[in-house]
Amino acid sequence: MSAKQGKSCENVTERMQQLHFNEQQRNMKPGMCNKFMHAVIDPDFLQGEHGFEVLSKLNDLSLKYEIKRQKFPRVVTFYRANTQTLTVQGAVTARTTPLKFIVHLMTGQQLVLHVKEGTLRSLVDRLTTLYPGTVVSLLVFGLVSYCRSNRNCVGRKETETALTEVQLFSKCSYQLLDTAEEVGNFVAQLGKSLAELPYKQQQYDKYCQEQLYLGNEKKGCVRVEGSAGLHQLYQNQLVKIPSVSLEVAEAIISVYPSLSQLIDGFRFAADGPNLLADIPIRRAGGPVTTSIRRIGPEMSKKIYLLYSSLESSQEL
């Protein structure tokens, strides 16, 4: 192979790798990533009124599912079907990634039985043995309705103690659900969260690496480029303070055009808490009328505490 042909092959490989990277980034974004998430559902998990809700909620979020016998009854596992990857040698491969999260469903009656016999923790330990390295979520469906129809079946303190033990010693979370819709929502939302996990992790790593603490990629956020957008961001920050209207924010900005100027004003003022008290407020952007409305000492003190207090538990 000539040097020219070798260079051409390298360019083709680089272009394919770039195309694959772009596709991978696009498929990772919320909404797109759902179609690559698969839930593998044990048939026993779907037995009962909640079965239809589970499948319906998964379909609503465009999450794929398979009904397949699991190692343990009433278990749901998840895996991600990755797009084909391009190796350094230019070979295309396909792979799936099993996710370390499982869901186990039990009825309220079954939980009561495990609590009475003291076997709830051993059940969870068996799940972690069959699915090593996984995070187990325990769904208890219909406990309240079962206890209402079976008075004195088990004590509340006994139940809470048993559930707390599996949380502390078996690293298992639990949810007490009363309706079929809640069961469907939990499974679907967990699948959606797992699908979005790589994207959120990538964003977190990006912000940590670049030391960015405020993202502006969500709807309604203010985009700041250089100095453009800082005024709007400052105004939006002020109106987030309870009882600060748009008119109050505009009155503050008319005297202190930037946040740094406001903070310096508080820092160097002889009476910081009352710094803003006498600033007049224009109603709906109109002229100051004869009946002048001012920010007042209480609002001024609240804003002063927000920007000056070093106490993390400070109440405004």
Side-chain angles (χ1 to χ4, degrees), residues 266-286:
F266 284 136
R267 183 180 299 154
F268 299 114
D271 186 12
N274 289 312
L275 179 69
L276 310 176
D278 293 327
I279 295 178
I281 301 172
R282 298 177 184 271
R283 296 184 179 277

Side-chain angles (χ1 to χ4, degrees), residues 9-297:
C9 289
E10 287 180 9
N11 292 338
V12 171
T13 302
E14 288 176 1
R15 284 198 298 271
M16 291 180 64
Q17 289 175 336
Q18 185 62 47
L19 288 172
H20 167 69
F21 176 79
N22 294 341
E23 182 183 9
Q24 193 177 47
Q25 295 299 305
R26 183 174 62 254
N27 293 338
M28 193 185 294
K29 291 183 178 180
M32 289 293 292
C33 59
N34 288 5
K35 62 184 181 180
F36 299 100
M37 180 57 55
H38 293 248
V40 184
I41 309 172
D42 186 83
D44 293 342
F45 192 100
L46 301 175
Q47 297 299 316
E49 57 182 312
H50 58 275
F52 172 78
E53 289 290 341
V54 170
L55 301 183
S56 176
K57 298 297 182 182
L58 289 172
N59 283 327
D60 289 345
L61 294 179
S62 301
L63 298 167
K64 295 182 173 60
Y65 62 85
E66 305 168 16
I67 302 175
K68 182 180 178 182
R69 187 66 64 183
Q70 294 277 15
K71 301 175 186 177
F72 198 85
R74 300 183 301 281
V75 163
V76 178
T77 58
F78 298 89
Y79 72 88
R80 181 180 294 105
N82 299 321
T83 54
Q84 291 182 313
T85 58
L86 189 67
T87 65
V88 177
Q89 293 76 21
V92 178
T93 61
R95 60 190 178 90
T96 60
T97 303
L99 302 178
K100 300 297 184 179
F101 293 84
I102 69 168
V103 179
H104 174 63
L105 177 72
M106 67 169 55
T107 64
Q109 181 180 6
Q110 290 167 337
L111 176 64
V112 167
L113 184 62
H114 283 297
V115 171
K116 285 183 175 180
E117 296 179 351
T119 56
L120 183 61
R121 186 177 168 189
S122 62
L123 169 72
V124 175
D125 289 343
R126 186 180 174 194
L127 282 168
T128 55
T129 300
L130 290 172
Y131 301 91
T134 58
V135 177
V136 179
S137 293
L138 189 65
L139 297 191
V140 182
F141 177 48
L143 177 63
V144 174
S145 58
Y146 178 78
C147 291
R148 282 175 181 169
S149 58
N150 296 271
R151 297 288 181 177
N152 302 319
C153 58
V154 69
R156 178 175 179 176
K157 185 176 180 180
E158 295 174 79
T159 305
E160 291 178 346
T161 300
L163 290 171
T164 302
E165 281 183 353
V166 296
Q167 276 188 303
L168 294 176
F169 301 110
S170 301
K171 309 298 182 184
C172 170
S173 64
Y174 70 88
Q175 295 285 330
L176 304 180
L177 307 177
D178 295 322
T179 66
E181 185 178 8
E182 288 178 334
V183 177
N185 282 334
F186 180 88
V187 175
Q189 288 301 322
L190 177 59
K192 179 176 179 288
S193 298
L194 293 176
E196 295 176 355
L197 187 59
Y199 175 79
K200 291 180 178 179
Q201 183 63 49
Q202 185 185 71
Q203 295 299 102
Y204 174 78
D205 294 340
K206 172 186 174 183
Y207 291 147
C208 288
Q209 183 179 4
E210 299 177 2
Q211 295 186 341
L212 297 175
Y213 302 99
L214 292 174
N216 61 354
E217 296 183 3
K218 297 293 184 181
K219 184 179 179 181
C221 290
V222 179
R223 183 174 293 277
V224 177
E225 296 180 0
S227 61
L230 287 176
H231 180 276
Q232 184 66 40
L233 181 63
Y234 178 31
Q235 184 184 80
N236 285 12
Q237 186 181 97
L238 288 173
V239 298
K240 294 293 183 182
I241 302 172
S243 303
V244 175
S245 63
L246 181 60
E247 290 80 8
V248 173
E250 289 176 342
I252 295 172
I253 293 172
S254 68
V255 180
Y256 299 97
S258 69
L259 182 58
S260 62
Q261 290 176 296
L262 177 61
I263 293 174
D264 286 342
F266 284 136
R267 183 180 299 154
F268 299 114
D271 186 12
N274 289 312
L275 179 69
L276 310 176
D278 293 327
I279 295 178
I281 301 172
R282 298 177 184 271
R283 296 184 179 277
V288 178
T289 60
T290 54
S291 58
I292 298 177
R293 178 185 169 211
R294 302 183 185 281
I295 289 179

